Amino acid sequence: MQATVSRYDAETASGTVLTDRGVELPFTAEAVAHTPVRLLRLGQRVRITTTGSGASVAITEIHFITLP
């Protein structure tokens, strides 16, 4: 699923993204811990991996969107 970074705290490496469906989802430092992502910018497009459904959706990974 793709999303846009809507808030990001560089000190805690946590924030929120706004999915293309208009849903705001929070993420923690664990979502970027095992990926090459080290710094996010507001408005940056990312690809997210989630678990759960409904009100209990959690972001498990965040990746940069790269162009071929």
Side-chain angles (χ1 to χ4, degrees):
M1 173 184 325
Q2 292 187 9
T4 303
V5 176
S6 56
R7 283 187 280 155
Y8 180 68
D9 181 342
E11 289 184 26
T12 63
S14 63
T16 60
V17 297
L18 183 62
T19 69
D20 289 352
R21 294 180 179 167
V23 177
E24 189 170 48
L25 296 173
F27 64 89
T28 63
E30 292 177 10
V32 296
H34 302 290
T35 67
V37 174
R38 296 293 172 247
L39 183 63
L40 294 168
R41 298 181 324 270
L42 297 181
Q44 184 171 16
R45 297 286 294 160
V46 293
R47 183 174 46 84
I48 60 173
T49 304
T50 61
T51 61
S53 63
S56 63
V57 171
I59 296 175
T60 57
E61 290 185 350
I62 296 177
H63 296 276
F64 291 124
I65 294 177
T66 57
L67 300 174

Tab-separated table of all heavy atoms in Angstrom:
chain	number	residue	atom	x	y	z
A	1	MET	N	0.854	-1.157	0.000
A	1	MET	CA	0.000	0.000	0.000
A	1	MET	C	0.909	1.232	0.000
A	1	MET	O	1.961	1.235	0.628
A	1	MET	CB	-0.879	-0.048	1.254
A	1	MET	CG	-1.703	1.160	1.482
A	1	MET	SD	-2.676	1.156	3.033
A	1	MET	CE	-3.139	-0.522	3.261
A	2	GLN	N	0.499	2.281	-0.682
A	2	GLN	CA	1.284	3.502	-0.715
A	2	GLN	C	0.661	4.559	0.182
A	2	GLN	O	-0.538	4.550	0.439
A	2	GLN	CB	1.402	4.021	-2.135
A	2	GLN	CG	2.229	3.112	-3.009
A	2	GLN	CD	2.493	3.711	-4.366
A	2	GLN	OE1	2.213	4.877	-4.619
A	2	GLN	NE2	3.042	2.920	-5.262
A	3	ALA	N	1.527	5.457	0.668
A	3	ALA	CA	1.067	6.502	1.584
A	3	ALA	C	1.990	7.709	1.480
A	3	ALA	O	3.032	7.654	0.827
A	3	ALA	CB	1.055	5.967	3.011
A	4	THR	N	1.611	8.777	2.164
A	4	THR	CA	2.396	10.001	2.226
A	4	THR	C	2.689	10.307	3.684
A	4	THR	O	1.793	10.230	4.531
A	4	THR	CB	1.601	11.179	1.613
A	4	THR	OG1	1.239	10.830	0.270
A	4	THR	CG2	2.407	12.456	1.611
A	5	VAL	N	3.930	10.655	3.991
A	5	VAL	CA	4.303	10.978	5.366
A	5	VAL	C	3.597	12.278	5.756
A	5	VAL	O	3.731	13.302	5.092
A	5	VAL	CB	5.840	11.142	5.501
A	5	VAL	CG1	6.208	11.572	6.907
A	5	VAL	CG2	6.541	9.848	5.123
A	6	SER	N	2.821	12.232	6.834
A	6	SER	CA	2.101	13.423	7.280
A	6	SER	C	2.705	14.036	8.543
A	6	SER	O	2.559	15.234	8.771
A	6	SER	CB	0.618	13.123	7.491
A	6	SER	OG	0.432	12.063	8.400
A	7	ARG	N	3.366	13.235	9.358
A	7	ARG	CA	4.101	13.731	10.531
A	7	ARG	C	5.302	12.830	10.748
A	7	ARG	O	5.223	11.626	10.539
A	7	ARG	CB	3.232	13.723	11.784
A	7	ARG	CG	2.247	14.882	11.831
A	7	ARG	CD	1.534	14.943	13.147
A	7	ARG	NE	0.449	13.939	13.106
A	7	ARG	CZ	-0.080	13.371	14.159
A	7	ARG	NH1	0.331	13.674	15.365
A	7	ARG	NH2	-1.037	12.484	14.041
A	8	TYR	N	6.422	13.418	11.204
A	8	TYR	CA	7.605	12.618	11.484
A	8	TYR	C	8.442	13.314	12.545
A	8	TYR	O	8.724	14.500	12.447
A	8	TYR	CB	8.447	12.418	10.224
A	8	TYR	CG	9.678	11.584	10.464
A	8	TYR	CD1	9.573	10.235	10.772
A	8	TYR	CD2	10.936	12.139	10.409
A	8	TYR	CE1	10.697	9.458	11.010
A	8	TYR	CE2	12.066	11.375	10.639
A	8	TYR	CZ	11.938	10.048	10.940
A	8	TYR	OH	13.045	9.283	11.185
A	9	ASP	N	8.824	12.573	13.572
A	9	ASP	CA	9.699	13.060	14.634
A	9	ASP	C	11.036	12.337	14.487
A	9	ASP	O	11.129	11.137	14.747
A	9	ASP	CB	9.078	12.765	15.995
A	9	ASP	CG	9.924	13.269	17.161
A	9	ASP	OD1	11.128	13.545	16.974
A	9	ASP	OD2	9.373	13.373	18.267
A	10	ALA	N	12.069	13.054	14.061
A	10	ALA	CA	13.376	12.446	13.807
A	10	ALA	C	14.018	11.893	15.078
A	10	ALA	O	14.777	10.928	15.019
A	10	ALA	CB	14.304	13.454	13.149
A	11	GLU	N	13.715	12.464	16.224
A	11	GLU	CA	14.302	11.986	17.481
A	11	GLU	C	13.778	10.612	17.877
A	11	GLU	O	14.526	9.775	18.367
A	11	GLU	CB	14.048	12.986	18.604
A	11	GLU	CG	14.843	14.264	18.458
A	11	GLU	CD	14.642	15.195	19.632
A	11	GLU	OE1	14.313	14.719	20.738
A	11	GLU	OE2	14.819	16.405	19.436
A	12	THR	N	12.500	10.371	17.660
A	12	THR	CA	11.905	9.083	18.032
A	12	THR	C	11.711	8.161	16.836
A	12	THR	O	11.347	7.000	17.008
A	12	THR	CB	10.536	9.286	18.713
A	12	THR	OG1	9.645	9.897	17.770
A	12	THR	CG2	10.662	10.135	19.959
A	13	ALA	N	11.938	8.685	15.616
A	13	ALA	CA	11.720	7.947	14.363
A	13	ALA	C	10.298	7.412	14.269
A	13	ALA	O	10.041	6.333	13.759
A	13	ALA	CB	12.737	6.829	14.194
A	14	SER	N	9.348	8.186	14.767
A	14	SER	CA	7.943	7.791	14.704
A	14	SER	C	7.133	8.916	14.070
A	14	SER	O	7.608	10.035	13.919
A	14	SER	CB	7.407	7.490	16.102
A	14	SER	OG	7.461	8.652	16.900
A	15	GLY	N	5.913	8.605	13.689
A	15	GLY	CA	5.058	9.616	13.086
A	15	GLY	C	3.790	9.002	12.554
A	15	GLY	O	3.336	7.965	13.037
A	16	THR	N	3.246	9.629	11.503
A	16	THR	CA	2.034	9.131	10.870
A	16	THR	C	2.167	9.240	9.358
A	16	THR	O	2.924	10.059	8.844
A	16	THR	CB	0.774	9.907	11.306
A	16	THR	OG1	0.931	11.273	10.957
A	16	THR	CG2	0.513	9.767	12.783
A	17	VAL	N	1.415	8.395	8.668
A	17	VAL	CA	1.295	8.483	7.221
A	17	VAL	C	-0.177	8.582	6.872
A	17	VAL	O	-1.044	8.143	7.640
A	17	VAL	CB	1.929	7.267	6.499
A	17	VAL	CG1	3.417	7.200	6.747
A	17	VAL	CG2	1.252	5.970	6.886
A	18	LEU	N	-0.450	9.158	5.723
A	18	LEU	CA	-1.807	9.236	5.206
A	18	LEU	C	-1.860	8.318	3.992
A	18	LEU	O	-1.155	8.542	3.004
A	18	LEU	CB	-2.159	10.672	4.809
A	18	LEU	CG	-3.576	10.921	4.320
A	18	LEU	CD1	-4.586	10.596	5.418
A	18	LEU	CD2	-3.738	12.351	3.854
A	19	THR	N	-2.651	7.260	4.091
A	19	THR	CA	-2.726	6.300	2.989
A	19	THR	C	-3.466	6.927	1.813
A	19	THR	O	-4.159	7.937	1.951
A	19	THR	CB	-3.447	5.006	3.404
A	19	THR	OG1	-4.839	5.292	3.608
A	19	THR	CG2	-2.825	4.393	4.641
A	20	ASP	N	-3.330	6.292	0.646
A	20	ASP	CA	-4.035	6.772	-0.540
A	20	ASP	C	-5.547	6.650	-0.402
A	20	ASP	O	-6.285	7.248	-1.164
A	20	ASP	CB	-3.560	6.013	-1.774
A	20	ASP	CG	-2.135	6.396	-2.167
A	20	ASP	OD1	-1.579	7.341	-1.577
A	20	ASP	OD2	-1.579	5.737	-3.062
A	21	ARG	N	-5.993	5.900	0.578
A	21	ARG	CA	-7.432	5.770	0.859
A	21	ARG	C	-7.919	6.825	1.853
A	21	ARG	O	-9.073	6.808	2.269
A	21	ARG	CB	-7.740	4.380	1.385
A	21	ARG	CG	-7.500	3.314	0.355
A	21	ARG	CD	-7.816	1.957	0.891
A	21	ARG	NE	-7.606	0.961	-0.140
A	21	ARG	CZ	-7.556	-0.313	0.072
A	21	ARG	NH1	-7.708	-0.791	1.293
A	21	ARG	NH2	-7.344	-1.145	-0.919
A	22	GLY	N	-7.001	7.698	2.302
A	22	GLY	CA	-7.377	8.777	3.209
A	22	GLY	C	-7.367	8.411	4.680
A	22	GLY	O	-7.935	9.116	5.498
A	23	VAL	N	-6.726	7.308	5.034
A	23	VAL	CA	-6.666	6.859	6.419
A	23	VAL	C	-5.303	7.229	7.004
A	23	VAL	O	-4.270	6.912	6.425
A	23	VAL	CB	-6.875	5.332	6.519
A	23	VAL	CG1	-6.744	4.850	7.953
A	23	VAL	CG2	-8.218	4.948	5.929
A	24	GLU	N	-5.302	7.910	8.141
A	24	GLU	CA	-4.050	8.256	8.812
A	24	GLU	C	-3.654	7.116	9.754
A	24	GLU	O	-4.454	6.679	10.578
A	24	GLU	CB	-4.195	9.560	9.599
A	24	GLU	CG	-2.872	10.062	10.119
A	24	GLU	CD	-2.976	11.468	10.682
A	24	GLU	OE1	-3.906	11.726	11.474
A	24	GLU	OE2	-2.124	12.288	10.331
A	25	LEU	N	-2.425	6.631	9.589
A	25	LEU	CA	-1.931	5.528	10.408
A	25	LEU	C	-0.639	5.931	11.102
A	25	LEU	O	0.258	6.486	10.469
A	25	LEU	CB	-1.638	4.294	9.538
A	25	LEU	CG	-2.802	3.645	8.815
A	25	LEU	CD1	-2.290	2.555	7.886
A	25	LEU	CD2	-3.781	3.083	9.828
A	26	PRO	N	-0.521	5.638	12.398
A	26	PRO	CA	0.724	5.929	13.109
A	26	PRO	C	1.764	4.844	12.854
A	26	PRO	O	1.424	3.708	12.520
A	26	PRO	CB	0.297	5.924	14.578
A	26	PRO	CG	-0.851	4.965	14.614
A	26	PRO	CD	-1.558	5.113	13.286
A	27	PHE	N	3.049	5.213	13.007
A	27	PHE	CA	4.111	4.217	12.945
A	27	PHE	C	5.147	4.528	14.017
A	27	PHE	O	5.261	5.662	14.478
A	27	PHE	CB	4.762	4.139	11.556
A	27	PHE	CG	5.486	5.386	11.137
A	27	PHE	CD1	6.825	5.566	11.448
A	27	PHE	CD2	4.830	6.378	10.434
A	27	PHE	CE1	7.507	6.703	11.055
A	27	PHE	CE2	5.500	7.522	10.033
A	27	PHE	CZ	6.845	7.688	10.353
A	28	THR	N	5.871	3.496	14.411
A	28	THR	CA	6.922	3.639	15.418
A	28	THR	C	8.274	3.385	14.766
A	28	THR	O	8.351	2.990	13.595
A	28	THR	CB	6.725	2.631	16.561
A	28	THR	OG1	6.853	1.309	16.022
A	28	THR	CG2	5.360	2.800	17.225
A	29	ALA	N	9.330	3.555	15.534
A	29	ALA	CA	10.681	3.334	15.038
A	29	ALA	C	10.871	1.895	14.565
A	29	ALA	O	11.686	1.634	13.676
A	29	ALA	CB	11.701	3.672	16.122
A	30	GLU	N	10.129	0.973	15.114
A	30	GLU	CA	10.241	-0.430	14.708
A	30	GLU	C	9.878	-0.632	13.238
A	30	GLU	O	10.383	-1.551	12.598
A	30	GLU	CB	9.364	-1.306	15.588
A	30	GLU	CG	9.857	-1.373	17.020
A	30	GLU	CD	8.926	-2.183	17.910
A	30	GLU	OE1	8.005	-2.845	17.383
A	30	GLU	OE2	9.121	-2.142	19.124
A	31	ALA	N	9.023	0.223	12.683
A	31	ALA	CA	8.612	0.088	11.284
A	31	ALA	C	9.751	0.400	10.320
A	31	ALA	O	9.723	-0.047	9.173
A	31	ALA	CB	7.423	0.994	10.992
A	32	VAL	N	10.744	1.146	10.764
A	32	VAL	CA	11.872	1.488	9.893
A	32	VAL	C	13.186	0.862	10.359
A	32	VAL	O	14.210	0.992	9.699
A	32	VAL	CB	12.048	3.019	9.764
A	32	VAL	CG1	10.854	3.651	9.090
A	32	VAL	CG2	12.306	3.665	11.103
A	33	ALA	N	13.167	0.145	11.456
A	33	ALA	CA	14.393	-0.396	12.050
A	33	ALA	C	15.148	-1.353	11.139
A	33	ALA	O	16.377	-1.363	11.144
A	33	ALA	CB	14.078	-1.089	13.372
A	34	HIS	N	14.458	-2.153	10.347
A	34	HIS	CA	15.120	-3.161	9.514
A	34	HIS	C	15.057	-2.823	8.029
A	34	HIS	O	15.127	-3.708	7.189
A	34	HIS	CB	14.499	-4.534	9.761
A	34	HIS	CG	14.585	-4.936	11.200
A	34	HIS	ND1	15.764	-5.268	11.808
A	34	HIS	CD2	13.638	-5.023	12.160
A	34	HIS	CE1	15.543	-5.546	13.073
A	34	HIS	NE2	14.261	-5.411	13.317
A	35	THR	N	14.900	-1.538	7.721
A	35	THR	CA	14.851	-1.082	6.336
A	35	THR	C	15.921	-0.012	6.133
A	35	THR	O	16.479	0.502	7.094
A	35	THR	CB	13.466	-0.480	6.013
A	35	THR	OG1	13.302	0.725	6.760
A	35	THR	CG2	12.337	-1.444	6.324
A	36	PRO	N	16.212	0.351	4.885
A	36	PRO	CA	17.209	1.393	4.641
A	36	PRO	C	16.724	2.807	4.985
A	36	PRO	O	17.488	3.754	4.897
A	36	PRO	CB	17.517	1.270	3.147
A	36	PRO	CG	16.504	0.379	2.572
A	36	PRO	CD	15.785	-0.314	3.677
A	37	VAL	N	15.479	2.949	5.398
A	37	VAL	CA	14.929	4.267	5.733
A	37	VAL	C	15.571	4.779	7.018
A	37	VAL	O	15.564	4.099	8.040
A	37	VAL	CB	13.393	4.191	5.907
A	37	VAL	CG1	12.843	5.513	6.391
A	37	VAL	CG2	12.737	3.773	4.610
A	38	ARG	N	16.151	5.954	6.981
A	38	ARG	CA	16.744	6.549	8.168
A	38	ARG	C	16.167	7.926	8.481
A	38	ARG	O	16.212	8.385	9.597
A	38	ARG	CB	18.268	6.672	8.020
A	38	ARG	CG	18.947	5.332	7.915
A	38	ARG	CD	18.816	4.558	9.236
A	38	ARG	NE	19.303	3.211	9.093
A	38	ARG	CZ	18.558	2.122	9.156
A	38	ARG	NH1	17.277	2.209	9.374
A	38	ARG	NH2	19.084	0.925	9.003
A	39	LEU	N	15.645	8.601	7.463
A	39	LEU	CA	15.085	9.929	7.657
A	39	LEU	C	13.946	10.121	6.671
A	39	LEU	O	14.115	9.863	5.482
A	39	LEU	CB	16.159	11.003	7.438
A	39	LEU	CG	15.740	12.443	7.669
A	39	LEU	CD1	15.339	12.659	9.132
A	39	LEU	CD2	16.860	13.390	7.303
A	40	LEU	N	12.815	10.538	7.165
A	40	LEU	CA	11.654	10.789	6.318
A	40	LEU	C	11.372	12.281	6.275
A	40	LEU	O	11.671	13.010	7.225
A	40	LEU	CB	10.434	10.042	6.866
A	40	LEU	CG	10.513	8.524	6.825
A	40	LEU	CD1	9.377	7.920	7.654
A	40	LEU	CD2	10.446	8.028	5.404
A	41	ARG	N	10.773	12.726	5.180
A	41	ARG	CA	10.365	14.124	5.021
A	41	ARG	C	8.841	14.202	4.947
A	41	ARG	O	8.202	13.287	4.424
A	41	ARG	CB	10.926	14.705	3.718
A	41	ARG	CG	12.401	14.746	3.595
A	41	ARG	CD	12.837	15.372	2.257
A	41	ARG	NE	11.992	15.063	1.113
A	41	ARG	CZ	12.148	14.027	0.307
A	41	ARG	NH1	13.096	13.153	0.526
A	41	ARG	NH2	11.345	13.846	-0.718
A	42	LEU	N	8.288	15.291	5.421
A	42	LEU	CA	6.846	15.504	5.270
A	42	LEU	C	6.512	15.535	3.793
A	42	LEU	O	7.239	16.131	2.999
A	42	LEU	CB	6.423	16.811	5.929
A	42	LEU	CG	6.622	16.897	7.439
A	42	LEU	CD1	6.126	18.238	7.952
A	42	LEU	CD2	5.912	15.772	8.144
A	43	GLY	N	5.463	14.857	3.416
A	43	GLY	CA	5.047	14.807	2.023
A	43	GLY	C	5.721	13.725	1.205
A	43	GLY	O	5.379	13.531	0.042
A	44	GLN	N	6.678	13.021	1.788
A	44	GLN	CA	7.390	11.971	1.058
A	44	GLN	C	6.477	10.773	0.820
A	44	GLN	O	5.739	10.356	1.693
A	44	GLN	CB	8.618	11.534	1.833
A	44	GLN	CG	9.463	10.527	1.115
A	44	GLN	CD	10.781	10.302	1.840
A	44	GLN	OE1	10.942	10.663	2.998
A	44	GLN	NE2	11.715	9.699	1.146
A	45	ARG	N	6.542	10.226	-0.385
A	45	ARG	CA	5.758	9.040	-0.731
A	45	ARG	C	6.510	7.802	-0.276
A	45	ARG	O	7.720	7.690	-0.465
A	45	ARG	CB	5.517	8.985	-2.236
A	45	ARG	CG	4.704	10.145	-2.760
A	45	ARG	CD	3.244	10.050	-2.401
A	45	ARG	NE	2.669	8.908	-3.096
A	45	ARG	CZ	1.540	8.307	-2.745
A	45	ARG	NH1	0.845	8.728	-1.716
A	45	ARG	NH2	1.090	7.278	-3.427
A	46	VAL	N	5.792	6.878	0.354
A	46	VAL	CA	6.386	5.639	0.853
A	46	VAL	C	5.464	4.469	0.558
A	46	VAL	O	4.284	4.644	0.277
A	46	VAL	CB	6.662	5.712	2.379
A	46	VAL	CG1	7.739	6.729	2.702
A	46	VAL	CG2	5.390	6.018	3.157
A	47	ARG	N	6.042	3.277	0.632
A	47	ARG	CA	5.269	2.045	0.532
A	47	ARG	C	5.256	1.436	1.929
A	47	ARG	O	6.302	1.326	2.564
A	47	ARG	CB	5.920	1.082	-0.465
A	47	ARG	CG	5.132	-0.199	-0.683
A	47	ARG	CD	5.738	-1.045	-1.787
A	47	ARG	NE	7.182	-1.200	-1.693
A	47	ARG	CZ	7.805	-2.113	-0.947
A	47	ARG	NH1	7.102	-2.955	-0.203
A	47	ARG	NH2	9.116	-2.194	-0.935
A	48	ILE	N	4.080	1.056	2.415
A	48	ILE	CA	3.986	0.511	3.764
A	48	ILE	C	3.457	-0.920	3.726
A	48	ILE	O	2.710	-1.294	2.830
A	48	ILE	CB	3.091	1.371	4.677
A	48	ILE	CG1	1.662	1.467	4.132
A	48	ILE	CG2	3.690	2.754	4.876
A	48	ILE	CD1	0.684	2.163	5.062
A	49	THR	N	3.895	-1.696	4.705
A	49	THR	CA	3.381	-3.038	4.922
A	49	THR	C	2.646	-3.004	6.257
A	49	THR	O	3.167	-2.462	7.235
A	49	THR	CB	4.536	-4.057	4.984
A	49	THR	OG1	5.289	-3.953	3.777
A	49	THR	CG2	4.011	-5.467	5.135
A	50	THR	N	1.443	-3.562	6.291
A	50	THR	CA	0.628	-3.508	7.509
A	50	THR	C	0.198	-4.896	7.944
A	50	THR	O	0.237	-5.849	7.171
A	50	THR	CB	-0.632	-2.649	7.292
A	50	THR	OG1	-1.412	-3.231	6.252
A	50	THR	CG2	-0.284	-1.218	6.930
A	51	THR	N	-0.217	-4.977	9.203
A	51	THR	CA	-0.854	-6.179	9.733
A	51	THR	C	-2.148	-5.750	10.395
A	51	THR	O	-2.322	-4.587	10.745
A	51	THR	CB	0.025	-6.904	10.771
A	51	THR	OG1	0.264	-6.026	11.861
A	51	THR	CG2	1.330	-7.365	10.171
A	52	GLY	N	-3.033	-6.699	10.594
A	52	GLY	CA	-4.300	-6.403	11.249
A	52	GLY	C	-5.313	-5.836	10.275
A	52	GLY	O	-5.075	-5.737	9.079
A	53	SER	N	-6.453	-5.459	10.830
A	53	SER	CA	-7.510	-4.871	10.006
A	53	SER	C	-8.374	-3.963	10.866
A	53	SER	O	-8.327	-4.018	12.090
A	53	SER	CB	-8.359	-5.971	9.371
A	53	SER	OG	-9.005	-6.719	10.367
A	54	GLY	N	-9.165	-3.157	10.195
A	54	GLY	CA	-10.057	-2.243	10.897
A	54	GLY	C	-9.310	-1.276	11.780
A	54	GLY	O	-8.329	-0.677	11.388
A	55	ALA	N	-9.751	-1.163	13.031
A	55	ALA	CA	-9.145	-0.219	13.972
A	55	ALA	C	-7.799	-0.699	14.508
A	55	ALA	O	-7.086	0.068	15.149
A	55	ALA	CB	-10.094	0.036	15.138
A	56	SER	N	-7.441	-1.948	14.243
A	56	SER	CA	-6.188	-2.474	14.793
A	56	SER	C	-5.091	-2.657	13.725
A	56	SER	O	-4.233	-3.509	13.861
A	56	SER	CB	-6.439	-3.790	15.517
A	56	SER	OG	-6.917	-4.756	14.595
A	57	VAL	N	-5.129	-1.850	12.672
A	57	VAL	CA	-4.085	-1.906	11.644
A	57	VAL	C	-2.801	-1.327	12.219
A	57	VAL	O	-2.809	-0.285	12.865
A	57	VAL	CB	-4.501	-1.118	10.390
A	57	VAL	CG1	-3.340	-0.983	9.420
A	57	VAL	CG2	-5.668	-1.782	9.712
A	58	ALA	N	-1.685	-2.016	11.983
A	58	ALA	CA	-0.379	-1.544	12.438
A	58	ALA	C	0.600	-1.598	11.277
A	58	ALA	O	0.603	-2.548	10.498
A	58	ALA	CB	0.134	-2.407	13.583
A	59	ILE	N	1.426	-0.577	11.160
A	59	ILE	CA	2.450	-0.549	10.120
A	59	ILE	C	3.640	-1.358	10.611
A	59	ILE	O	4.163	-1.108	11.696
A	59	ILE	CB	2.876	0.895	9.802
A	59	ILE	CG1	1.693	1.672	9.222
A	59	ILE	CG2	4.058	0.906	8.828
A	59	ILE	CD1	1.972	3.139	8.985
A	60	THR	N	4.066	-2.318	9.799
A	60	THR	CA	5.207	-3.150	10.179
A	60	THR	C	6.486	-2.750	9.458
A	60	THR	O	7.566	-2.974	9.977
A	60	THR	CB	4.922	-4.640	9.910
A	60	THR	OG1	4.597	-4.805	8.532
A	60	THR	CG2	3.791	-5.137	10.787
A	61	GLU	N	6.372	-2.175	8.264
A	61	GLU	CA	7.549	-1.743	7.513
A	61	GLU	C	7.216	-0.533	6.662
A	61	GLU	O	6.103	-0.413	6.154
A	61	GLU	CB	8.055	-2.843	6.582
A	61	GLU	CG	8.675	-4.009	7.273
A	61	GLU	CD	9.272	-5.005	6.289
A	61	GLU	OE1	9.045	-4.881	5.073
A	61	GLU	OE2	9.970	-5.913	6.746
A	62	ILE	N	8.212	0.347	6.509
A	62	ILE	CA	8.107	1.500	5.628
A	62	ILE	C	9.288	1.458	4.672
A	62	ILE	O	10.434	1.284	5.100
A	62	ILE	CB	8.123	2.821	6.425
A	62	ILE	CG1	6.899	2.898	7.332
A	62	ILE	CG2	8.177	4.006	5.479
A	62	ILE	CD1	6.866	4.125	8.201
A	63	HIS	N	9.016	1.631	3.376
A	63	HIS	CA	10.065	1.638	2.368
A	63	HIS	C	9.897	2.852	1.475
A	63	HIS	O	8.784	3.303	1.238
A	63	HIS	CB	9.976	0.380	1.492
A	63	HIS	CG	10.206	-0.886	2.246
A	63	HIS	ND1	11.442	-1.384	2.506
A	63	HIS	CD2	9.330	-1.748	2.816
A	63	HIS	CE1	11.344	-2.498	3.182
A	63	HIS	NE2	10.053	-2.742	3.391
A	64	PHE	N	11.013	3.344	0.952
A	64	PHE	CA	10.945	4.422	-0.035
A	64	PHE	C	10.363	3.870	-1.328
A	64	PHE	O	10.575	2.702	-1.650
A	64	PHE	CB	12.355	4.964	-0.347
A	64	PHE	CG	12.971	5.696	0.796
A	64	PHE	CD1	14.209	5.288	1.284
A	64	PHE	CD2	12.370	6.789	1.384
A	64	PHE	CE1	14.809	5.953	2.325
A	64	PHE	CE2	12.965	7.456	2.437
A	64	PHE	CZ	14.189	7.040	2.897
A	65	ILE	N	9.658	4.706	-2.044
A	65	ILE	CA	9.196	4.339	-3.367
A	65	ILE	C	10.315	4.722	-4.331
A	65	ILE	O	10.749	5.870	-4.367
A	65	ILE	CB	7.890	5.066	-3.739
A	65	ILE	CG1	6.762	4.591	-2.825
A	65	ILE	CG2	7.544	4.848	-5.203
A	65	ILE	CD1	5.450	5.295	-3.041
A	66	THR	N	10.779	3.765	-5.103
A	66	THR	CA	11.849	4.027	-6.059
A	66	THR	C	11.328	3.863	-7.463
A	66	THR	O	10.463	3.032	-7.734
A	66	THR	CB	13.041	3.068	-5.842
A	66	THR	OG1	12.567	1.737	-5.944
A	66	THR	CG2	13.670	3.275	-4.472
A	67	LEU	N	11.851	4.676	-8.340
A	67	LEU	CA	11.457	4.608	-9.751
A	67	LEU	C	12.461	3.763	-10.504
A	67	LEU	O	13.659	3.813	-10.207
A	67	LEU	CB	11.392	6.015	-10.354
A	67	LEU	CG	10.388	6.954	-9.671
A	67	LEU	CD1	10.524	8.346	-10.251
A	67	LEU	CD2	8.983	6.444	-9.828
A	68	PRO	N	12.002	3.003	-11.503
A	68	PRO	CA	12.928	2.154	-12.259
A	68	PRO	C	13.915	2.965	-13.065
A	68	PRO	O	13.787	4.074	-13.351
A	68	PRO	CB	12.017	1.338	-13.168
A	68	PRO	CG	10.695	1.998	-13.149
A	68	PRO	CD	10.645	2.891	-11.969
